[in-house]
Amino acid sequence: MPSKTLTLSLFLFISVVLFSQTEPDTVKSVKADSGFVMSKSPMGAVLRSAIIPGWGQYYNESYWKIPVVWGFLGFYTYYWYDRDDLYVKYKNLYDLSDKESTDGARLKKLRDFYQDQRDQFVVYFGLAYLLNLADAYVDAHLFDFDVSENPYTGTMQLNMRLNLR
């Protein structure tokens, strides 16, 4: 006597074969033309910001964001350079010192501290750079998004276009 799982499997296989579609699908897909064309290319903005940080913000006409982008990237670059100088200084002092003494332990601790600080600023710089790219992308997508004043009530209104396809 066959087991229940074998019977169930056989039943499912036969029902799938019997009820499967045998002729090609005749439904034609219709693409609705919304008439909306984006004025800014999101990938164009990202590529511009990837080449020169802030260029994507310029492309999106968000001029006030350019000094913010350059400020963060410049800040992180300056502190990376400063921490790298201090790391090299304390590394050289540690290499010249007696490593078993308390002075050697203090220099090793300072060397490791500035090395960690330097590495953290590289991560911060990378995150600021990626945030610059993400901002350019999102800003290009939202360039045509309209928030204007309602002429009848004088209050702010949010206008969105929704296309159902």
Side-chain angles (χ1 to χ4, degrees), residues 58 116 124 137 151:
Y58 181 81
D116 291 343
Y124 297 155
Y137 183 80

Side-chain angles (χ1 to χ4, degrees), residues 7-103:
T7 308
L8 183 60
S9 300
L10 188 59
F11 174 73
L12 289 174
F13 177 73
I14 291 173
S15 64
V16 166
V17 171
L18 289 176
F19 294 108
S20 64
Q21 185 174 352
T22 57
E23 42 188 75
D25 194 11
T26 58
V27 177
K28 294 181 181 178
S29 62
V30 178
K31 186 175 182 182
D33 185 21
S34 67
F36 175 72
V37 178
M38 290 181 66
S39 8
K40 302 289 182 181
S41 166
M43 284 312 294
V46 169
L47 291 175
R48 283 174 174 84
S49 275
I51 294 170
I52 300 173
W55 190 15
Q57 284 75 11
Y58 181 81
Y59 172 72
N60 292 329
E61 300 174 19
S62 296
Y63 304 114
W64 67 272
K65 292 180 182 179
I66 299 168
V68 174
V69 168
W70 278 86
F72 275 106
L73 294 177
F75 175 78
Y76 294 136
T77 302
Y78 170 77
Y79 273 97
W80 175 85
Y81 186 76
D82 182 55
R83 296 308 186 238
D84 186 54
D85 283 347
L86 290 169
Y87 164 72
V88 169
K89 173 186 168 185
Y90 285 107
K91 179 182 161 290
N92 292 337
L93 287 173
Y94 175 70
D95 290 342
L96 295 175
S97 72
D98 180 22
K99 294 173 181 43
E100 302 300 324
S101 69
T102 57
D103 189 43

Side-chain angles (χ1 to χ4, degrees), residues 1 18 22 58 65 71 86 99 117-118 127 135 143 151 156 162 165:
M1 174 174 236
L18 289 176
T22 57
Y58 181 81
K65 292 180 182 179
L86 290 169
K99 294 173 181 43
Q117 288 282 307
R118 179 194 65 180
L127 290 174
D135 176 65
F143 185 78
M156 296 299 286
L162 181 64
R165 294 181 190 196

